[in-house]
Amino acid sequence: MKLSPNLLIGLTIFFIVLILAVFAPIIAPFDPVADSNLMFSEEPPSARFWFGTDEQGRDIFSRIVYGARISLTIGLAVQLMNTVIGVCLGLSAGYLGGWWDEVVQGLTNLMLSIPTVVFALALMTILGPGILSLLIALGLTDWAYSCRISRAQVLSHKGQNYVQAARTMGFGRGHIMFREILPNIAGPLVVVATMGIGSAIMAEAALSFLGLGVVPPDPSWGSMLSRAREQLMTTPWVAIFPGLALFVTVLGFNLLGDGLRDLLDPHGKARRA
């Protein structure tokens, strides 16, 4: 089977970010918080400081490496929460129908009408800054896409023969939804979840940029960009490298999701071609 270029590039970027996150203490040459020396404040990129230093003399490369750990952890955890919520609601709404389907559709339309960052921002003002608050806020605000897609897939599958056979054999609703239908609709959900990781990383960076995400001095790409705003003209490397890390990571997950869509839906690939 020939893999698409998007899938290969996305997998490469994902594994690079994963290696940086897992082996951050080994890869980073300096401690991202403790190794602060004003004598090396705002040093340009050099052999010692590959990406330069910030206003406190901290190595930007080391902070980006540790920031990959935070971004990937939050992205995976948030998207896992969103997928579980969305799939459970979508499966039950599509299969059970009736008043429950109307309630779920109403909630889904409401969530889709409000930008994710705006809703998360409102929750963060109540919960306060911090990683746990960030996980809760983002994990409860971006499940609508998974819900809508899973509901649509269930509606197209629940009348098929294998579902009818499961009913005839006396299996309950829970078994039919999660053991029979869910494995057959997993492909589109995997694609949505993969692309959602990139969206979650962007949302975390946006909230951290606004001061409501990861609390300094913990390294976060969003908070690094926020602190670099006033130094953009004098020390551009302080903003360029965290921005590139964020851009490449989100691009990688989008390419990975696009490649998985081609791999899991060859008919859709033929139609697009």
Side-chain angles (χ1 to χ4, degrees):
M1 180 184 298
K2 184 178 180 180
L3 300 180
S4 68
N6 286 348
L7 183 59
L8 293 175
I9 295 173
L11 282 173
T12 301
I13 294 175
F14 168 70
F15 281 118
I16 290 174
V17 175
L18 181 63
I19 290 171
L20 291 176
V22 173
F23 299 104
I26 300 174
I27 297 174
F30 300 94
D31 187 283
V33 177
D35 289 341
S36 175
N37 191 338
L38 294 178
M39 292 182 61
F40 300 106
S41 175
E42 298 181 352
E43 286 280 332
S46 61
R48 181 176 184 182
F49 304 109
W50 294 352
F51 291 173
T53 62
D54 61 10
E55 75 281 359
Q56 297 185 27
R58 296 174 299 194
D59 181 50
I60 293 176
F61 174 74
S62 299
R63 291 180 63 78
I64 289 176
V65 170
Y66 275 87
R69 171 177 288 185
I70 293 176
S71 294
L72 190 60
T73 300
I74 291 176
L76 292 173
V78 164
Q79 192 53 40
L80 178 62
M81 293 174 62
N82 286 326
T83 301
V84 170
I85 295 172
V87 169
C88 289
L89 289 176
L91 273 175
S92 59
Y95 187 78
L96 300 178
W99 67 269
W100 176 244
D101 186 26
E102 295 180 0
V103 170
V104 172
Q105 285 193 76
L107 287 174
T108 303
N109 292 332
L110 176 64
M111 297 300 297
L112 289 173
S113 66
I114 304 174
T116 300
V117 175
V118 174
F119 200 171
L121 186 62
L123 289 177
M124 290 296 292
T125 57
I126 300 173
L127 299 173
I131 294 180
L132 181 59
S133 300
L134 195 63
L135 290 174
I136 295 173
L138 293 178
L140 297 176
T141 56
D142 200 22
W143 50 263
Y145 293 104
S146 297
C147 179
R148 175 163 287 186
I149 290 176
S150 59
R151 175 184 175 273
Q153 292 291 318
V154 170
L155 290 176
S156 65
H157 277 257
K158 72 175 185 178
Q160 294 189 11
N161 293 333
Y162 74 92
V163 177
Q164 300 297 333
R167 289 193 190 126
T168 304
M169 296 174 65
F171 290 117
R173 294 174 175 176
H175 177 94
I176 294 174
M177 286 190 292
F178 292 98
R179 298 292 297 275
E180 304 292 337
I181 298 178
L182 182 57
N184 287 282
I185 65 172
L189 298 178
V190 170
V191 175
V192 173
T194 304
M195 292 185 171
I197 296 173
S199 299
I201 292 174
M202 279 292 295
E204 178 274 320
L207 292 173
S208 297
F209 183 86
L210 296 173
L212 289 173
V214 179
V215 179
D218 291 336
S220 165
W221 295 340
S223 60
M224 292 172 69
L225 288 172
S226 179
R227 296 177 65 91
R229 286 179 295 177
E230 300 177 356
Q231 306 165 266
L232 190 58
M233 301 304 295
T234 57
T235 56
W237 57 86
V238 179
I240 289 175
F241 292 111
L244 281 175
L246 180 62
F247 168 76
V248 172
T249 301
V250 174
L251 176 65
F253 279 107
N254 287 337
L255 292 176
L256 180 58
D258 190 68
L260 287 174
R261 180 180 60 186
D262 293 341
L263 182 65
L264 298 174
D265 185 15
H267 300 292
K269 181 180 178 181
R271 288 194 300 266
R272 289 190 296 273

